[in-house]
Amino acid sequence: MKLLHRLLEGKGGMCEAPFLPLLPFLVIPYDLLYADGVRAYFARDWGRAAELLQRALHSYAGLRAARRACRAACRREAAFLGGPPAGSGPWEAALFGRVLQRADCLQHCLGRRLGAAPSAHRASLAIRRDFQQREPYNYLQVAFFQLKKLDQAVSAAHTFFVANPQHLQMREDIEKYRRMSGVKSDNFRDLEATPHWEAYEAGVQHYNADEYVQAVARLEESLTEALSALEECRALCEGPWEDEVEEEEEMQPGLYEAIAAHYIQVLKCRQQCVLEIATKPGRISATEDFIPSHLDLLQFAYDQVGNQTLAAECAASYLLFYPTDELMLEKMREYRTELGEDTAITARQVVTTPGLYFLALSCPIQQDHRLLIQSFLIFICTCFLTGPLPFESIAVTMDSRQMNGTQRVVFDRVLTESECEDLLRLTKAAGEAGDGFRARRSPHTPHERFEGLTVLKALAQNGDVDWRDAKLLLQASEKSRRIIESYFTPGKKLHFSFTHLVFPVSWRQEGRMDLSHPVHADNCLLDPEGQECWREPPAYVYRDYSGILYLNDDFQGGGLFFTEMDTVTVTAKVQPKCGRLVAFSSGKENPHGVWAVSRGRRCAIALWYTHSQEHAEQVKDHAEEMDMSTSKQEQITLRNGLWAFPWGRG
């Protein structure tokens, strides 16, 4: 690798002169440039650091541009059009012939543009995250400041700060720059600014100032740029499957499972692009209805400047997303009257492209054709992502369709009656230890106190917990993880984020009108009035799936329920019982709450999972290393060693 790096930088000794002219278009892998730039930075070689970091940013941008261009070119050259030719032989040859043709096109196109094997440009997850978060600009601003290039230092600092507004040190640096003589307001430029956001904010300002001619111009510019950014983002979704997941031998998928899983990841990525273009740099959550809001503002602005034809087109386009919107339907009736009943009013072509059907799915489902599209996607996910369950005794009692939602499922017979009874013995130890909640009352209601026990705390109890019961808690947790992983994400490992044996003890039970746990989502902050869920701290944004494994049903109340985003409209209910596991994705699609426990105790194992290795529950791994058959003295020794590891609530 070092030799390759030297050759790529033109440091090939005797070969240096002839090497570079042969590859004038060479794009050096950005992670290599970045690594060298950071090394130069810490060596205080400011000039070289600035040069290498800038080259890394150019290389990163060049790689993305090459991937976008090649995918667009190969989409035209090796298009998947029509069905297989008559008499073409097995369907696999007809299908995969096109696949191989597209792959060959991409390989040659990227090779020509990058000057090296495309695989040489695959960077680690940590490096990719640094560039997504604009970390190179953090180094650059210091290097430029040391080089006394103040204008470039300010631009680099501002570029980093726009995407990281909570970075306290950079906030202080920005304030210092503002007070420096010689720094101009124009120096505070976002070097990574997205054109559609600049145009959108300018358009909204003109709109609010009743400057409708200027508003139309900037909003049209924003809409065009946003749709272009959307297509570019979706093109990049077709890149290598670069999720860094630890693969176990049993998780290796077969041919069709691997193709299906990768394809579904591409579909998810394309849908995520809708949120990406709608997320302003520096914010975690997307602006709600970003594309529809353009159409809403444009129809009013065009109406104000007297262009009812374009206003009607924008209204028709908006109704593709919200076909029952009363105000827009009324405007459409007015436009038909003004333009004449015989005038054909159609949605704008740019909004009716097939790719934007994914956009419609990000809005409330209100029309038959959108329900059909959603059903089709659910069918794909059901066929390819709900894999076979790893245990024969498990039964799927309710799936997403029966629960009136997405990514929800109820399994039964995960535990036997005997196993539930054994685990219930742990609740006594949990009550004494007060683990997790420290014997405090619930923060959600004054009527209950939550008590609980983590896996590690159970294993580390000295004499309070039967070793076999602690082992069963660990096994039940792992069994639930494998079931949920196999059902929702076959081929992609789920890690424990937090695991807790928990139960509430009621203080006053009769006549309760409150909830044991108010309606919420597990990885975002629910905003019922705004019909949004903000995926940003203090929410556990890294959690991907949630599960509840029930241990008993000898109590009243305490049932789980799902709602719409309004937190009021109940869409599904789940009644606890021994061995029942309810699992669901942790996002805004699954707001849920728990009704009050009016008698007895509801005991369950609460489980949260993440795809992110860095947010995995560390104690789980350490607990699994303990030998359940060791002697008492060995157990004590192991327990003492375990307490050196950090652990806590996710």
Side-chain angles (χ1 to χ4, degrees), residues 161-449:
F161 187 64
V162 165
N164 302 273
Q166 305 303 320
H167 197 283
L168 298 180
Q169 182 59 56
M170 190 60 76
R171 180 177 297 177
E172 293 180 6
D173 290 347
I174 290 288
E175 291 304 317
K176 291 177 182 176
Y177 284 132
R178 292 189 188 281
R179 295 193 295 267
M180 289 182 182
S181 60
V183 174
K184 303 175 182 177
S185 59
D186 293 344
N187 295 145
F188 292 90
R189 295 183 298 120
D190 182 2
L191 302 174
E192 297 281 348
T194 48
H196 66 275
W197 270 109
E198 290 187 335
Y200 179 73
E201 292 182 331
V204 170
Q205 288 179 356
H206 288 304
Y207 181 92
N208 291 334
D210 297 336
E211 299 167 351
Y212 296 111
V213 174
Q214 297 92 324
V216 161
R218 298 313 304 272
L219 288 171
E220 286 284 13
E221 178 187 351
S222 174
L223 181 60
T224 301
E225 293 288 352
L227 294 176
S228 176
L230 179 65
E231 289 307 308
E232 290 182 354
C233 176
R234 286 177 169 164
L236 292 173
C237 287
E238 298 177 14
W241 193 354
E242 295 180 322
D243 290 324
E244 297 189 354
V245 179
E246 294 180 359
E247 295 289 347
E248 301 174 4
E249 184 176 352
E250 63 180 2
M251 295 301 296
Q252 293 292 342
L255 172 64
Y256 302 111
E257 295 91 335
I259 293 172
H262 196 172
Y263 179 58
I264 293 298
Q265 290 300 315
V266 171
L267 291 180
K268 288 182 177 180
C269 176
R270 289 175 179 170
Q271 175 66 358
Q272 187 66 26
C273 286
V274 178
L275 301 179
E276 184 173 317
I277 67 161
T279 303
K280 185 178 178 182
R283 285 203 60 93
I284 298 176
S285 301
T287 298
E288 186 180 6
D289 293 340
F290 186 61
I291 296 296
S293 70
H294 281 77
L295 301 167
D296 187 19
L297 296 173
L298 279 169
Q299 75 83 23
F300 185 83
Y302 275 124
D303 190 30
Q304 293 300 304
V305 299
N307 193 333
Q308 276 68 42
T309 300
L310 290 180
E313 284 186 5
C314 292
S317 302
Y318 182 86
L319 288 170
L320 289 177
F321 297 91
Y322 295 101
T324 61
D325 188 280
E326 288 296 331
L327 292 176
M328 197 61 75
L329 288 171
E330 179 60 31
K331 291 298 297 183
M332 281 295 292
R333 287 190 284 269
E334 293 178 10
Y335 292 139
R336 291 187 185 281
T337 301
E338 295 176 14
L339 298 173
E341 292 295 335
D342 296 334
T343 303
I345 301 176
T346 58
R348 306 178 71 169
Q349 184 177 2
V350 70
V351 181
T352 56
T353 55
L356 287 184
Y357 280 129
F358 285 99
L359 266 177
L361 292 178
S362 66
C363 305
I365 303 298
Q366 297 172 331
Q367 195 174 26
D368 289 344
H369 78 274
R370 285 160 62 195
L371 279 171
L372 180 63
I373 296 166
Q374 186 190 46
S375 299
F376 172 69
L377 291 180
I378 291 175
F379 169 76
I380 293 176
C381 293
T382 302
C383 289
F384 295 119
L385 284 190
T386 55
L389 299 179
F391 304 97
E392 292 183 359
S393 61
I394 309 302
V396 176
T397 305
M398 290 191 289
D399 58 18
S400 294
R401 181 175 55 184
Q402 294 165 309
M403 296 180 74
N404 302 312
T406 60
Q407 299 201 77
R408 304 173 182 173
V409 65
V410 175
F411 305 98
D412 275 335
R413 301 200 297 271
V414 176
L415 297 174
T416 66
E417 293 285 347
S418 172
E419 289 171 332
C420 287
E421 291 175 3
D422 291 342
L423 286 171
L424 286 172
R425 284 201 297 265
L426 283 172
T427 60
K428 183 176 183 297
E432 293 173 354
D435 176 57
F437 299 102
R438 300 177 185 173
R440 295 175 297 180
R441 289 190 180 187
S442 164
H444 311 301
T445 170
H447 302 291
E448 295 179 21
R449 182 188 73 216

